[in-house]
Amino acid sequence: MDLKTLTFIVVGATFALYIAIAIYSRAKSTGDFYVAGKGVHPVANGMATAADWMSAASFISMAGLIAFLGYGGSVFLMGWTGGYVLLAMLLAPYLRKFGKFTVPEFIGERYYSQGARIVAVICLIVASITYVIGQMKGIGVAFSRFMEVDFSTGLMVGMSIVFIYAVLGGMKGITYTQIAQYCVLIFAYTIPAIFISLQLTGNPIPQLGLGSTMADGSGVYLLDKLDMIVTDLGFREYTTSSNGNMLNMFLYTLSLMIGTAGLPHVIIRFFTVPKVRDARASAGWALVFIAVLYTTAPAVGAMARLNLINTIQIGAVGSPTGNVEEAHLPDWMGRWKETGLLGWEDKNGDGRIQFYDEAGLGDKAAAYGWAGNEMTKVDRDIMVLANPEIANLPNWVIALVAAGGIAAALSTAAGLLLAIASSISHDLLKGVFMKDISEKNELMAGRIAMAGAIMVAGYLGLNPPGFAAQVVALAFGLAASSIFPALMMGIFDKRANSHGAVAGMLAGLGSTLLYIFWFKGWFFFPATAMAANIPENWILGISPEAFGAVGAMINFAVAYAVSHNTAPPPEHIQHLVEDIRIPRGSGGASSH
Amino acid sequence: MSGNSKGAEYWKRNLRLVFICLTIWFICSYLFGIVLVEPLNAIKLGGYKLGFWFAQQGSMYIFVALIFFYASSMNKLDREFDVHED
């Protein structure tokens, strides 16, 4: 059976499964729609959280980024896992005890202010929409390669599927679908990794294979071999090449961690468990399921890089026959060239292809008779999807990876869309503009808001800016600088009041948006950037993606200063804070 | 909650536990994985340089262990101060 048919069957089967689950677990009340009736077991919730959390960026882009950044890619690994520690200890149990449906609802009540609630809704929508853009790019890449349809058609199919199960099932449908999606995506991610690790090192566990010797009998460690070959070709050493300076690595990681803990679609997952105790444990289970993929990713990245180089550099660097002949390039390269995500050109006319870093290799290239790097385009986002083809794995594995990538993108998109929809229908409509809306009408409004959010996401998906993982990183900066500090101050500082919270959120969000737009262009239109997005222009070498941590510090400082110089919050709010600090009496769902 | 001093003591114990956990969290990621990565890279763990291992493997295993440690310690603390659920 050819690859295309096989892919259609595998992807089609997973879609049928998701829709069947959605019909089975249809939402009947607003409680079902927003928080799945608060009856999800912590392990199941952990698994759903993991799928919700692991986006197209985690599945498709991250290993590719690590493959080309080497050690510098660690910011994504530590940043996107360490936030769960913050979540489990600083937010999740207290927010569960508070027992409401949305993040702005907590902020509105804790800071006894509709203004604070509306600011929180704005922060939530900005962060979530930015994040959705990253998912759309992922869906487009997966579809355009595997279904051999154009980007926009693929996107429409993906959006229709989300539409059906998210609008119908709400959080209840999404939760059970996400459990199925986790199984699909983790299977799809680990199977090729196990095969490739086995081929290269003889060790079937990728986490151990990465630290093992090569299976070719040379006794050389895989990472040492990789370091050697990349430096011979002028690239930076794999295991030490950092991502900007040390301060940038530090703040980038911190931004991703705080952002993780501040992302509304992750936080609302902890409203769905029955008890405070379950909220703590659920964060642990979520991280277990996430870590399965995240500890495999460094192996996938390093091995994909080594395989790619070995495909092109078949002999000694600089020897006349050291490079692969253009006529003998493997089939998978031809297939990816058609998508425009991979490209090459025989610049020196020797009939062979050279892949090296021009600046790093310097004069040596001319001595070898090389006239420039001939791999003119290697899109990092293709590394995971091309991986099984690079390693000559059977077609069913390739089909499975396509289904896994799509599962990752769909599960995250659904979670984000729910967070956006609930903040519109519950916080804006019911909370501010139409206080006496009936439950039935609120449920309908939630569904309409969700459909609207899908349309907006679809439009942005057709005009996506940048690498999926980098766009997503911006959403983290925004969540880190606005939502996380307001939540944490609300729980840990009884003196924090509404003026402080609003001023803090606006200062944090404003400074971060300004820094990002300054270098990336206003609203991401590159032509309007105020300064070139290069390290020389950044303040202290801090990249726009890493600025969220600074924004969060500004938020904390402003909120603290303003709160402690204005009137303290009323008595009943101080009692509310004392009450959420103890687990007893968490009770069931309540919307009032 | 019976009496404010007991509530204050429970909260103090919670904060102390959080502080200990977050100190470990900081050491295994920011300190070993970023700030001290170069000196640690001189030590090897199989084929891994140690600093690189902390950044790309070790920190994540420690994060998982930390959350479960915190959750079980808090469950004990809840019972000790009689604030547990059901």
Side-chain angles (χ1 to χ4, degrees):
Chain A
M1 200 183 303
D2 72 332
L3 177 59
K4 193 175 166 188
T5 322
L6 204 57
T7 309
F8 269 107
I9 293 172
V10 173
V11 174
T14 58
F15 280 3
L17 176 68
Y18 306 151
I19 291 173
I21 293 172
I23 293 168
Y24 175 75
S25 52
R26 193 161 188 255
K28 292 178 190 72
S29 65
T30 50
D32 279 353
F33 191 80
Y34 295 134
V35 292
K38 300 202 179 188
V40 183
H41 188 273
V43 178
N45 190 57
M47 197 177 271
T49 309
D52 198 331
W53 171 244
M54 289 191 290
S55 56
S58 295
F59 189 95
I60 298 173
S61 299
M62 191 175 66
L65 278 172
I66 296 169
F68 288 92
L69 292 173
Y71 163 71
S74 311
V75 297
F76 300 110
L77 295 165
M78 290 187 285
W80 283 338
T81 53
Y84 279 85
V85 179
L86 299 178
L87 206 49
M89 293 174 197
L90 303 179
L91 300 183
Y94 311 108
L95 295 177
R96 174 61 194 87
K97 173 66 195 296
F98 179 68
K100 294 294 162 70
F101 286 164
T102 69
V103 172
E105 194 173 16
F106 172 79
I107 290 180
E109 231 166 276
R110 165 62 183 83
Y111 295 112
Y112 48 96
S113 151
Q114 292 290 13
R117 188 170 183 174
I118 292 169
V119 172
V121 170
I122 294 168
C123 296
L124 183 152
I125 290 178
V126 172
S128 300
I129 296 255
T130 320
Y131 203 167
V132 165
I133 301 171
Q135 307 314 308
M136 295 305 112
K137 165 93 193 286
I139 293 175
V141 171
F143 270 99
S144 63
R145 166 64 187 90
F146 290 102
M147 311 302 249
E148 292 172 34
V149 295
D150 62 79
F151 189 87
S152 50
T153 315
L155 203 59
M156 296 300 167
V157 176
M159 297 317 291
S160 321
I161 299 294
V162 179
F163 183 88
I164 295 170
Y165 74 73
V167 172
L168 194 69
M171 186 57 133
K172 203 173 163 197
I174 288 173
T175 301
Y176 292 110
T177 315
Q178 279 169 339
I179 292 171
Q181 283 164 336
Y182 178 79
C183 298
V184 172
L185 82 87
I186 203 67
F187 194 59
Y189 202 84
T190 48
I191 292 288
I194 289 169
F195 276 121
I196 291 168
S197 177
L198 207 52
Q199 281 176 355
L200 286 176
T201 67
N203 193 325
I205 302 168
Q207 288 86 341
L208 299 177
L210 184 58
S212 303
T213 53
M214 298 293 293
D216 56 13
S218 61
V220 179
Y221 283 114
L222 185 140
L223 284 168
D224 290 342
K225 178 164 177 163
L226 183 58
D227 275 345
M228 204 167 61
I229 184 92
V230 294
T231 43
D232 282 351
L233 289 168
F235 298 104
R236 294 190 302 159
E237 190 177 56
Y238 189 83
T239 55
T240 56
S241 56
S242 80
N243 192 344
N245 59 26
M246 189 183 284
L247 179 68
N248 186 56
M249 289 271 297
F250 194 101
L251 291 176
Y252 203 150
T253 308
L254 191 59
S255 295
L256 295 181
M257 284 198 194
I258 302 177
T260 299
L263 274 179
H265 76 287
V266 177
I267 296 173
I268 53 174
R269 294 241 50 113
F270 296 98
F271 298 168
T272 64
V273 292
K275 291 185 170 55
V276 172
R277 195 171 66 214
D278 299 330
R280 296 180 191 132
S282 193
W285 285 111
L287 192 56
V288 168
F289 294 121
I290 291 166
V292 174
L293 189 146
Y294 271 60
T295 54
T296 307
V300 171
M303 290 174 189
R305 179 81 177 271
L306 188 61
N307 272 333
L308 178 67
I309 289 177
N310 282 341
T311 303
I312 296 161
Q313 193 68 48
I314 52 175
V317 174
S319 74
T321 56
N323 291 77
V324 69
E325 288 174 63
E326 191 177 2
H328 290 154
L329 284 173
D331 293 343
W332 67 264
M333 289 182 69
R335 288 196 291 269
W336 278 99
K337 193 177 191 181
E338 286 166 25
T339 64
L341 298 171
L342 190 68
W344 62 85
E345 182 197 343
D346 185 13
K347 291 179 183 164
N348 63 352
D350 65 350
R352 293 173 186 271
I353 297 299
Q354 287 95 36
F355 178 36
Y356 65 99
D357 189 87
E358 291 171 16
L361 204 57
D363 298 338
K364 273 195 203 161
Y368 295 155
W370 295 354
N373 174 32
E374 296 178 354
M375 291 301 293
T376 48
K377 171 90 182 168
V378 184
D379 189 304
R380 298 183 251 191
D381 284 353
I382 73 171
M383 293 312 295
V384 165
L385 299 175
N387 218 7
E389 299 173 280
I390 299 176
N392 284 318
L393 296 179
N395 275 353
W396 66 267
V397 179
I398 303 172
L400 192 63
V401 170
I406 293 165
L410 291 181
S411 59
T412 306
L416 287 164
L417 292 165
L418 183 92
I420 297 170
S422 63
S423 69
I424 292 171
S425 61
H426 192 66
D427 291 308
L428 287 186
L429 275 184
K430 184 170 173 72
V432 181
F433 297 115
M434 293 171 66
K435 287 195 175 178
D436 34 309
I437 188 170
S438 72
E439 179 168 331
K440 202 176 151 214
N441 285 341
E442 190 191 341
L443 192 58
M444 179 54 73
R447 290 192 160 121
I448 293 170
M450 177 97 79
I454 291 174
M455 302 297 170
V456 174
Y459 171 78
L460 291 170
L462 291 174
N463 309 283
F467 287 114
Q470 290 188 355
V471 175
V472 166
L474 297 180
F476 285 84
L478 301 181
S481 62
S482 58
I483 297 167
F484 178 82
L487 293 176
M488 200 182 145
M489 297 276 286
I491 297 162
F492 287 86
D493 184 6
K494 268 194 244 178
R495 191 68 172 65
N497 63 19
S498 62
H499 305 296
V502 172
M505 280 193 283
L506 292 178
L509 184 73
S511 58
T512 306
L513 272 181
L514 179 71
Y515 197 80
I516 289 171
F517 285 160
W518 195 268
F519 295 109
K520 300 236 166 196
W522 297 98
F523 301 97
F524 301 116
F525 291 106
T528 60
M530 307 298 285
N533 191 20
I534 48 170
E536 289 72 34
N537 287 341
W538 299 338
I539 299 170
L540 297 173
I542 303 168
S543 65
E545 288 86 358
F547 196 80
V550 181
M553 289 171 211
I554 293 173
N555 185 337
F556 274 122
V558 169
Y560 188 86
V562 173
S563 292
H564 287 255
N565 287 301
T566 46
E571 192 80 356
H572 74 276
I573 296 296
Q574 305 205 21
H575 286 306
L576 172 81
V577 177
E578 275 166 20
D579 184 59
I580 60 171
R581 288 177 177 183
I582 56 160
R584 179 165 289 170
S586 60
S590 84
S591 55
H592 301 288
Chain B
M1 182 77 49
S2 60
N4 268 338
S5 63
K6 210 176 151 202
E9 175 65 16
Y10 169 78
W11 187 243
K12 218 169 97 189
R13 292 270 296 274
N14 175 22
L15 291 182
R16 195 162 65 199
L17 181 62
V18 169
F19 181 78
I20 293 168
C21 289
L22 290 185
T23 305
I24 300 170
W25 164 85
F26 180 84
I27 290 172
C28 73
S29 52
Y30 294 93
L31 210 57
F32 289 171
I34 297 175
V35 178
L36 297 178
V37 69
E38 278 178 39
L40 283 177
N41 274 345
I43 306 165
K44 289 204 73 169
L45 186 74
Y48 284 113
K49 291 172 179 163
L50 191 59
F52 179 84
W53 181 81
F54 267 107
Q56 301 214 336
Q57 295 279 318
S59 55
M60 290 183 278
Y61 300 129
I62 296 167
F63 293 157
V64 170
L66 271 178
I67 298 182
F68 282 111
F69 168 72
Y70 173 77
S72 78
S73 304
M74 280 309 285
N75 289 347
K76 268 188 227 139
L77 197 66
D78 290 350
R79 289 192 177 277
E80 192 185 323
F81 282 85
D82 193 32
V83 293
H84 58 285
E85 300 150 288
D86 54 55

